[in-house]
Amino acid sequence: MIPPANPEIGQQPHPMVPALEVKNLVKHYPGVKALDGVDLVVRQNEVLGLAGENGAGKSTLLKALVGLVRPDSGEIWVRGEKVRLRSVVEAANHGIGMVFQEQSLVPNLTAAENIVLGSEGAGVRGGVYRWETMRKLAQEQLDKIGSDINPLARTDTLSFADRQMVEIAKVLRIEQRSQHPPVIILDEPTSVLESKEIETLFTQVRRLREFASVVFVSHRLDEVLDVCDRVSVLRGGQSVGEVATAGAAPADLHRMMIGSTGSDDHYHDQAYERSAEPLRPMLSIRGLSGKTFRDVDLEVAAGEIVGIVGVHGSGREDVCRALFGAEPTLAGEVTLDGKRLDLSSTRAAVAAGIGYVPAERKIEGMVGPMSVADNMTLTKQQSRCAGPIVMPKRQSSLVDRWIERLSIRTPHRGTQIQRLSGGNQQKVVLARWLVAGDIRLLLLDHPTRGLDIGARSEVYRLMRELADSGVATVLLADSLEEAIGMSDRIVVMSDGKATKHVPCPSGDKPTPLDLVKEMV
């Protein structure tokens, strides 16, 4: 049931009045126009998809809708009332809540505290938490999305996927907090979820449509078409059109996003031929064990891409982190190019010629306030120095060359990396290892997470260029299709063990179903 209108803010709108409307929204940043007259209409009781390449303006628009960014001009209307959203609290008071792509939870609080944060209600009396009440309030939201997370678990002990479910449960509390039919924004909510969790989320989104309006953002265009009623497309900070999802195809959206026809096989290697020469072993793992994996055996040859697939909790992410010295190991031996590998620290891994692109880009992959140039040369300081002396011209020349080569969209090499779109941030993180020039093993943990079709294709091209140069690559792909399309071999992990090694040669690829049978 829709809660009654708050008389202090406004009455229930006429059914034809949009739940949310944006008119000619403009936002400038130094050297770039993030929004250039964006228009958007979200109808009552619908799921509106928002699509666009990285850098199209989606993130800036969403932040404006939840009070994190103040537009330079334009108007925002909520249920027929013109509003100024100067904070997240003001947006929430108008019934607007958001699940952020880059998580916004407080890590040292429990899941329950995060879920009810700012709207504790009966969970607090006299400034003191009533833990059982808090647990029940949080459990009510977790039950809606079918999650078995312990509400009293500390958030920093949960996996990334579980933290994403806590984010979703948290924003659902707006149903109780707001006196309006809510507008819920989901920014890349499925990026780290497994197929079962995604279907659970979609069920919840469809339920929300009955009494709320939803803005759904995803680079997975098939998901957008599956769960949304309409899709609005941004390009270059402008609204370029919308399409009803009934009868539409991903190629239709891609054409609007970049002006050309997309293809679902952009990662496949029809034109990519392997050398007939035998590949030289580079990475050799024997009996590697850690807290969440055991007795893992794996070999990766120079110039080979090996994908590791498995369901959530299979241990594949921790194996990848252990190889970079970021997770402790309990047993086993790892050699790189014939030499015993020191797994005691990330510093030792980098010194051995190992590069790592983490899944949580903004937390582990970059330093937000630092410039593009400084982030790109962070690992190899000597690339910008002559002895102990920093040589700005040397750094500028090197960084500008990679900015041009990778088509990184940035106003300037000195721009803070946190001001770039997600796709361009990822290119900078990848460029860090290209700048280093001496990488022998590259560990890629969901390198295309949150990237649009064009940016993903560029990442795939870079991966193949690195393979051609002799770099051994371990890939934790964003989807089974991506793993199949990019890998020379695939290792299946289940319950912490490598249970199956699947050949993946060009022209004779396994199907996703072949892998799923081994994963579960």
Side-chain angles (χ1 to χ4, degrees), residues 105-159:
L105 303 177
V106 182
N108 62 339
L109 298 183
T110 65
E113 289 173 282
N114 271 289
I115 290 171
V116 304
L117 190 63
S119 59
E120 292 85 353
V124 175
R125 281 292 180 269
V128 178
Y129 279 160
R130 302 171 65 190
W131 286 104
E132 181 59 23
T133 302
M134 292 269 288
R135 186 195 65 77
K136 290 180 179 178
L137 291 173
Q139 190 65 57
E140 180 183 350
Q141 307 307 319
L142 292 169
D143 287 344
K144 293 179 181 178
I145 52 178
S147 175
D148 59 1
I149 296 169
N150 179 1
L152 300 183
R154 270 178 55 121
T155 304
D156 56 7
T157 67
L158 302 177
S159 68

Short mmCIF file of all heavy atoms in Angstrom, two decimals, residues 105-159:
data_model
loop_
_atom_site.label_atom_id
_atom_site.label_comp_id
_atom_site.label_asym_id
_atom_site.label_seq_id
_atom_site.Cartn_x
_atom_site.Cartn_y
_atom_site.Cartn_z
N LEU A 105 28.44 1.96 2.18
CA LEU A 105 28.23 1.44 3.52
C LEU A 105 29.37 1.86 4.46
O LEU A 105 30.48 2.14 4.02
CB LEU A 105 28.13 -0.09 3.49
CG LEU A 105 27.04 -0.68 2.59
CD1 LEU A 105 27.12 -2.19 2.60
CD2 LEU A 105 25.66 -0.21 3.02
N VAL A 106 29.06 1.88 5.75
CA VAL A 106 30.08 2.15 6.77
C VAL A 106 30.66 0.80 7.19
O VAL A 106 29.96 -0.01 7.81
CB VAL A 106 29.49 2.88 7.98
CG1 VAL A 106 30.58 3.18 9.01
CG2 VAL A 106 28.80 4.17 7.53
N PRO A 107 31.93 0.52 6.89
CA PRO A 107 32.44 -0.84 7.03
C PRO A 107 32.49 -1.38 8.45
O PRO A 107 32.36 -2.59 8.66
CB PRO A 107 33.85 -0.76 6.42
CG PRO A 107 34.20 0.69 6.45
CD PRO A 107 32.92 1.42 6.27
N ASN A 108 32.69 -0.51 9.46
CA ASN A 108 32.83 -1.01 10.83
C ASN A 108 31.51 -1.07 11.59
O ASN A 108 31.49 -1.33 12.79
CB ASN A 108 33.84 -0.18 11.62
CG ASN A 108 33.41 1.27 11.76
OD1 ASN A 108 32.59 1.74 10.98
ND2 ASN A 108 33.95 1.96 12.75
N LEU A 109 30.40 -0.85 10.89
CA LEU A 109 29.07 -1.04 11.47
C LEU A 109 28.49 -2.38 11.01
O LEU A 109 28.93 -2.95 10.03
CB LEU A 109 28.13 0.09 11.06
CG LEU A 109 28.50 1.51 11.50
CD1 LEU A 109 27.41 2.48 11.07
CD2 LEU A 109 28.74 1.58 13.00
N THR A 110 27.50 -2.85 11.74
CA THR A 110 26.82 -4.08 11.33
C THR A 110 25.94 -3.83 10.12
O THR A 110 25.63 -2.68 9.77
CB THR A 110 25.95 -4.64 12.47
OG1 THR A 110 24.90 -3.70 12.73
CG2 THR A 110 26.76 -4.87 13.74
N ALA A 111 25.54 -4.93 9.48
CA ALA A 111 24.60 -4.81 8.36
C ALA A 111 23.32 -4.12 8.81
O ALA A 111 22.79 -3.26 8.10
CB ALA A 111 24.30 -6.19 7.79
N ALA A 112 22.82 -4.47 10.00
CA ALA A 112 21.58 -3.87 10.51
C ALA A 112 21.74 -2.37 10.69
O ALA A 112 20.85 -1.59 10.32
CB ALA A 112 21.18 -4.53 11.83
N GLU A 113 22.87 -1.94 11.29
CA GLU A 113 23.08 -0.51 11.50
C GLU A 113 23.12 0.24 10.17
O GLU A 113 22.58 1.35 10.06
CB GLU A 113 24.39 -0.29 12.26
CG GLU A 113 24.34 -0.72 13.73
CD GLU A 113 25.70 -0.64 14.38
OE1 GLU A 113 26.52 -1.56 14.15
OE2 GLU A 113 25.96 0.34 15.10
N ASN A 114 23.76 -0.33 9.17
CA ASN A 114 23.81 0.30 7.86
C ASN A 114 22.43 0.39 7.23
O ASN A 114 22.08 1.41 6.63
CB ASN A 114 24.77 -0.47 6.94
CG ASN A 114 26.19 0.01 7.04
OD1 ASN A 114 26.52 1.10 6.57
ND2 ASN A 114 27.04 -0.79 7.66
N ILE A 115 21.65 -0.67 7.36
CA ILE A 115 20.33 -0.71 6.71
C ILE A 115 19.40 0.35 7.28
O ILE A 115 18.64 0.99 6.55
CB ILE A 115 19.72 -2.12 6.83
CG1 ILE A 115 20.51 -3.10 5.95
CG2 ILE A 115 18.24 -2.11 6.44
CD1 ILE A 115 20.13 -4.55 6.17
N VAL A 116 19.45 0.58 8.59
CA VAL A 116 18.52 1.52 9.21
C VAL A 116 19.17 2.87 9.50
O VAL A 116 18.54 3.74 10.11
CB VAL A 116 17.92 0.94 10.51
CG1 VAL A 116 17.26 -0.39 10.25
CG2 VAL A 116 19.00 0.79 11.58
N LEU A 117 20.40 3.07 9.06
CA LEU A 117 21.14 4.29 9.37
C LEU A 117 20.36 5.53 8.92
O LEU A 117 19.98 5.67 7.76
CB LEU A 117 22.50 4.27 8.67
CG LEU A 117 23.49 5.37 9.07
CD1 LEU A 117 23.86 5.26 10.55
CD2 LEU A 117 24.75 5.29 8.21
N GLY A 118 20.12 6.42 9.86
CA GLY A 118 19.39 7.64 9.57
C GLY A 118 17.89 7.51 9.70
O GLY A 118 17.16 8.50 9.64
N SER A 119 17.41 6.28 9.87
CA SER A 119 15.97 6.06 10.05
C SER A 119 15.76 4.93 11.04
O SER A 119 14.98 4.01 10.81
CB SER A 119 15.30 5.73 8.71
OG SER A 119 15.88 4.57 8.14
N GLU A 120 16.46 5.02 12.17
CA GLU A 120 16.46 3.94 13.16
C GLU A 120 15.09 3.74 13.82
O GLU A 120 14.73 2.63 14.19
CB GLU A 120 17.51 4.20 14.25
CG GLU A 120 18.95 4.11 13.77
CD GLU A 120 19.46 5.40 13.14
OE1 GLU A 120 18.63 6.34 12.97
OE2 GLU A 120 20.65 5.50 12.83
N GLY A 121 14.32 4.82 13.99
CA GLY A 121 12.99 4.71 14.57
C GLY A 121 13.01 4.02 15.91
O GLY A 121 13.74 4.39 16.83
N ALA A 122 12.23 2.95 16.02
CA ALA A 122 12.13 2.22 17.29
C ALA A 122 13.41 1.49 17.66
O ALA A 122 13.53 0.95 18.76
CB ALA A 122 10.97 1.22 17.23
N GLY A 123 14.37 1.46 16.75
CA GLY A 123 15.63 0.78 17.03
C GLY A 123 16.51 1.54 18.01
O GLY A 123 17.52 0.99 18.48
N VAL A 124 16.16 2.80 18.30
CA VAL A 124 16.95 3.61 19.25
C VAL A 124 16.00 4.22 20.27
O VAL A 124 14.96 4.79 19.92
CB VAL A 124 17.74 4.71 18.52
CG1 VAL A 124 18.44 5.62 19.52
CG2 VAL A 124 18.75 4.11 17.56
N ARG A 125 16.37 4.12 21.53
CA ARG A 125 15.62 4.75 22.61
C ARG A 125 16.60 5.43 23.55
O ARG A 125 17.50 4.79 24.08
CB ARG A 125 14.78 3.72 23.37
CG ARG A 125 13.50 3.31 22.68
CD ARG A 125 12.49 4.46 22.62
NE ARG A 125 11.25 4.06 21.96
CZ ARG A 125 11.02 4.19 20.67
NH1 ARG A 125 11.97 4.70 19.89
NH2 ARG A 125 9.86 3.84 20.15
N GLY A 126 16.41 6.73 23.73
CA GLY A 126 17.29 7.47 24.63
C GLY A 126 18.74 7.45 24.21
O GLY A 126 19.64 7.50 25.05
N GLY A 127 18.97 7.39 22.89
CA GLY A 127 20.32 7.37 22.37
C GLY A 127 21.00 6.02 22.47
O GLY A 127 22.19 5.90 22.16
N VAL A 128 20.27 4.99 22.87
CA VAL A 128 20.84 3.65 23.03
C VAL A 128 20.18 2.70 22.03
O VAL A 128 18.95 2.68 21.90
CB VAL A 128 20.63 3.13 24.47
CG1 VAL A 128 21.17 1.71 24.61
CG2 VAL A 128 21.29 4.07 25.47
N TYR A 129 21.01 1.91 21.33
CA TYR A 129 20.48 0.94 20.38
C TYR A 129 19.72 -0.17 21.10
O TYR A 129 20.18 -0.71 22.11
CB TYR A 129 21.62 0.30 19.58
CG TYR A 129 22.14 1.12 18.43
CD1 TYR A 129 23.41 0.88 17.89
CD2 TYR A 129 21.38 2.12 17.86
CE1 TYR A 129 23.89 1.61 16.83
CE2 TYR A 129 21.84 2.87 16.80
CZ TYR A 129 23.11 2.61 16.29
OH TYR A 129 23.58 3.35 15.25
N ARG A 130 18.56 -0.49 20.56
CA ARG A 130 17.81 -1.67 20.98
C ARG A 130 18.08 -2.74 19.92
O ARG A 130 17.45 -2.78 18.87
CB ARG A 130 16.32 -1.34 21.07
CG ARG A 130 16.02 -0.20 22.04
CD ARG A 130 14.58 0.25 21.95
NE ARG A 130 13.66 -0.81 22.39
CZ ARG A 130 12.34 -0.74 22.24
NH1 ARG A 130 11.80 0.30 21.63
NH2 ARG A 130 11.57 -1.73 22.66
N TRP A 131 19.09 -3.59 20.20
CA TRP A 131 19.66 -4.44 19.17
C TRP A 131 18.65 -5.41 18.58
O TRP A 131 18.67 -5.67 17.37
CB TRP A 131 20.87 -5.18 19.73
CG TRP A 131 22.05 -4.28 19.88
CD1 TRP A 131 22.55 -3.75 21.02
CD2 TRP A 131 22.85 -3.77 18.81
NE1 TRP A 131 23.63 -2.92 20.75
CE2 TRP A 131 23.84 -2.92 19.40
CE3 TRP A 131 22.85 -3.92 17.43
CZ2 TRP A 131 24.79 -2.25 18.65
CZ3 TRP A 131 23.81 -3.25 16.67
CH2 TRP A 131 24.76 -2.43 17.28
N GLU A 132 17.79 -5.96 19.38
CA GLU A 132 16.83 -6.91 18.85
C GLU A 132 15.85 -6.22 17.89
O GLU A 132 15.49 -6.77 16.84
CB GLU A 132 16.07 -7.60 19.99
CG GLU A 132 15.05 -8.65 19.54
CD GLU A 132 15.67 -9.77 18.71
OE1 GLU A 132 16.89 -10.01 18.84
OE2 GLU A 132 14.93 -10.40 17.93
N THR A 133 15.43 -5.01 18.25
CA THR A 133 14.55 -4.24 17.35
C THR A 133 15.28 -3.88 16.07
O THR A 133 14.72 -3.98 14.97
CB THR A 133 14.06 -2.97 18.05
OG1 THR A 133 13.36 -3.32 19.25
CG2 THR A 133 13.12 -2.18 17.15
N MET A 134 16.55 -3.46 16.20
CA MET A 134 17.36 -3.14 15.02
C MET A 134 17.47 -4.36 14.10
O MET A 134 17.34 -4.25 12.87
CB MET A 134 18.75 -2.70 15.46
CG MET A 134 18.79 -1.37 16.20
SD MET A 134 19.04 0.02 15.06
CE MET A 134 20.74 -0.23 14.63
N ARG A 135 17.71 -5.50 14.72
CA ARG A 135 17.85 -6.72 13.92
C ARG A 135 16.57 -7.03 13.15
O ARG A 135 16.60 -7.38 11.97
CB ARG A 135 18.22 -7.90 14.83
CG ARG A 135 18.54 -9.19 14.08
CD ARG A 135 18.55 -10.38 15.01
NE ARG A 135 17.22 -10.64 15.57
CZ ARG A 135 16.23 -11.22 14.89
NH1 ARG A 135 16.40 -11.62 13.63
NH2 ARG A 135 15.05 -11.43 15.46
N LYS A 136 15.43 -6.88 13.83
CA LYS A 136 14.15 -7.17 13.18
C LYS A 136 13.86 -6.19 12.04
O LYS A 136 13.36 -6.59 10.99
CB LYS A 136 13.02 -7.13 14.21
CG LYS A 136 13.05 -8.29 15.20
CD LYS A 136 11.91 -8.19 16.21
CE LYS A 136 11.92 -9.36 17.17
NZ LYS A 136 10.84 -9.25 18.19
N LEU A 137 14.16 -4.90 12.26
CA LEU A 137 13.95 -3.91 11.20
C LEU A 137 14.79 -4.23 9.97
O LEU A 137 14.32 -4.11 8.83
CB LEU A 137 14.30 -2.51 11.73
CG LEU A 137 13.36 -1.91 12.78
CD1 LEU A 137 13.93 -0.61 13.32
CD2 LEU A 137 11.96 -1.68 12.21
N ALA A 138 16.06 -4.62 10.21
CA ALA A 138 16.94 -4.97 9.09
C ALA A 138 16.51 -6.27 8.44
O ALA A 138 16.51 -6.39 7.20
CB ALA A 138 18.37 -5.06 9.58
N GLN A 139 16.12 -7.25 9.25
CA GLN A 139 15.73 -8.54 8.71
C GLN A 139 14.51 -8.41 7.80
O GLN A 139 14.40 -9.12 6.78
CB GLN A 139 15.41 -9.51 9.86
CG GLN A 139 15.21 -10.95 9.40
CD GLN A 139 16.49 -11.54 8.83
OE1 GLN A 139 17.52 -11.57 9.50
NE2 GLN A 139 16.43 -11.98 7.58
N GLU A 140 13.62 -7.49 8.13
CA GLU A 140 12.44 -7.25 7.30
C GLU A 140 12.84 -6.87 5.88
O GLU A 140 12.23 -7.33 4.90
CB GLU A 140 11.59 -6.15 7.92
CG GLU A 140 10.34 -5.81 7.13
CD GLU A 140 9.56 -4.65 7.74
OE1 GLU A 140 9.89 -4.25 8.87
OE2 GLU A 140 8.63 -4.16 7.08
N GLN A 141 13.88 -6.04 5.75
CA GLN A 141 14.33 -5.62 4.43
C GLN A 141 15.10 -6.74 3.73
O GLN A 141 14.95 -6.96 2.53
CB GLN A 141 15.21 -4.37 4.54
CG GLN A 141 14.58 -3.22 5.29
CD GLN A 141 13.21 -2.84 4.75
OE1 GLN A 141 13.00 -2.80 3.54
NE2 GLN A 141 12.27 -2.57 5.64
N LEU A 142 15.94 -7.46 4.48
CA LEU A 142 16.71 -8.55 3.89
C LEU A 142 15.80 -9.66 3.39
O LEU A 142 16.06 -10.29 2.36
CB LEU A 142 17.71 -9.09 4.91
CG LEU A 142 18.86 -8.15 5.29
CD1 LEU A 142 19.61 -8.68 6.50
CD2 LEU A 142 19.81 -7.97 4.11
N ASP A 143 14.71 -9.89 4.10
CA ASP A 143 13.76 -10.92 3.68
C ASP A 143 13.13 -10.59 2.33
O ASP A 143 12.80 -11.49 1.54
CB ASP A 143 12.66 -11.11 4.73
CG ASP A 143 13.16 -11.81 5.99
OD1 ASP A 143 14.25 -12.42 5.93
OD2 ASP A 143 12.47 -11.73 7.01
N LYS A 144 12.97 -9.30 2.05
CA LYS A 144 12.35 -8.89 0.78
C LYS A 144 13.19 -9.33 -0.41
O LYS A 144 12.66 -9.55 -1.50
CB LYS A 144 12.17 -7.37 0.75
CG LYS A 144 11.16 -6.83 1.74
CD LYS A 144 11.09 -5.31 1.63
CE LYS A 144 10.11 -4.71 2.63
NZ LYS A 144 10.07 -3.25 2.56
N ILE A 145 14.50 -9.39 -0.23
CA ILE A 145 15.38 -9.75 -1.34
C ILE A 145 15.94 -11.16 -1.18
O ILE A 145 16.88 -11.55 -1.86
CB ILE A 145 16.53 -8.74 -1.49
CG1 ILE A 145 17.27 -8.54 -0.17
CG2 ILE A 145 16.00 -7.41 -2.00
CD1 ILE A 145 18.45 -7.59 -0.28
N GLY A 146 15.35 -11.93 -0.26
CA GLY A 146 15.72 -13.33 -0.12
C GLY A 146 17.15 -13.54 0.34
O GLY A 146 17.78 -14.55 0.00
N SER A 147 17.69 -12.62 1.13
CA SER A 147 19.08 -12.73 1.58
C SER A 147 19.16 -13.42 2.93
O SER A 147 18.34 -13.19 3.82
CB SER A 147 19.70 -11.33 1.68
OG SER A 147 21.01 -11.41 2.22
N ASP A 148 20.21 -14.26 3.09
CA ASP A 148 20.43 -14.94 4.37
C ASP A 148 21.56 -14.31 5.16
O ASP A 148 22.13 -14.93 6.06
CB ASP A 148 20.70 -16.42 4.15
CG ASP A 148 21.93 -16.66 3.27
OD1 ASP A 148 22.56 -15.67 2.85
OD2 ASP A 148 22.26 -17.84 3.00
N ILE A 149 21.91 -13.06 4.85
CA ILE A 149 22.96 -12.35 5.57
C ILE A 149 22.55 -12.16 7.03
O ILE A 149 21.40 -11.80 7.32
CB ILE A 149 23.24 -10.98 4.92
CG1 ILE A 149 23.78 -11.16 3.49
CG2 ILE A 149 24.21 -10.14 5.75
CD1 ILE A 149 23.81 -9.89 2.69
N ASN A 150 23.48 -12.35 7.94
CA ASN A 150 23.22 -12.10 9.36
C ASN A 150 23.19 -10.60 9.59
O ASN A 150 24.18 -9.91 9.37
CB ASN A 150 24.33 -12.74 10.20
CG ASN A 150 24.14 -12.51 11.70
OD1 ASN A 150 23.17 -11.87 12.13
ND2 ASN A 150 25.06 -13.01 12.49
N PRO A 151 22.06 -10.04 10.03
CA PRO A 151 21.97 -8.59 10.22
C PRO A 151 22.99 -8.04 11.21
O PRO A 151 23.35 -6.87 11.13
CB PRO A 151 20.54 -8.38 10.74
CG PRO A 151 19.79 -9.59 10.34
CD PRO A 151 20.78 -10.71 10.36
N LEU A 152 23.48 -8.88 12.11
CA LEU A 152 24.43 -8.40 13.13
C LEU A 152 25.87 -8.64 12.74
O LEU A 152 26.79 -8.37 13.53
CB LEU A 152 24.12 -9.09 14.47
CG LEU A 152 22.72 -8.83 15.04
CD1 LEU A 152 22.56 -9.48 16.39
CD2 LEU A 152 22.43 -7.33 15.13
N ALA A 153 26.11 -9.09 11.51
CA ALA A 153 27.48 -9.26 11.03
C ALA A 153 28.09 -7.90 10.68
O ALA A 153 27.41 -7.02 10.13
CB ALA A 153 27.50 -10.16 9.80
N ARG A 154 29.38 -7.71 11.05
CA ARG A 154 30.07 -6.48 10.65
C ARG A 154 30.17 -6.43 9.13
O ARG A 154 30.50 -7.42 8.48
CB ARG A 154 31.46 -6.42 11.27
CG ARG A 154 31.52 -5.75 12.63
CD ARG A 154 32.93 -5.79 13.19
NE ARG A 154 33.90 -5.19 12.29
CZ ARG A 154 34.68 -4.15 12.60
NH1 ARG A 154 34.58 -3.59 13.78
NH2 ARG A 154 35.57 -3.70 11.74
N THR A 155 29.90 -5.25 8.58
CA THR A 155 29.84 -5.11 7.13
C THR A 155 31.18 -5.44 6.47
O THR A 155 31.21 -6.00 5.38
CB THR A 155 29.40 -3.69 6.77
OG1 THR A 155 28.15 -3.42 7.41
CG2 THR A 155 29.23 -3.53 5.28
N ASP A 156 32.30 -5.09 7.12
CA ASP A 156 33.60 -5.34 6.49
C ASP A 156 33.99 -6.80 6.48
O ASP A 156 35.03 -7.17 5.92
CB ASP A 156 34.70 -4.48 7.13
CG ASP A 156 34.82 -4.69 8.63
OD1 ASP A 156 34.14 -5.58 9.16
OD2 ASP A 156 35.60 -3.96 9.27
N THR A 157 33.18 -7.67 7.09
CA THR A 157 33.44 -9.11 7.01
C THR A 157 32.66 -9.77 5.88
O THR A 157 32.85 -10.95 5.62
CB THR A 157 33.08 -9.81 8.35
OG1 THR A 157 31.66 -9.74 8.55
CG2 THR A 157 33.80 -9.16 9.52
N LEU A 158 31.79 -9.01 5.22
CA LEU A 158 30.96 -9.56 4.15
C LEU A 158 31.67 -9.46 2.81
O LEU A 158 32.52 -8.59 2.60
CB LEU A 158 29.63 -8.80 4.08
CG LEU A 158 28.77 -8.80 5.35
CD1 LEU A 158 27.53 -7.94 5.14
CD2 LEU A 158 28.38 -10.21 5.75
N SER A 159 31.32 -10.34 1.90
CA SER A 159 31.85 -10.27 0.54
C SER A 159 31.26 -9.06 -0.19
O SER A 159 30.27 -8.46 0.26
CB SER A 159 31.50 -11.54 -0.23
OG SER A 159 30.09 -11.60 -0.46
#
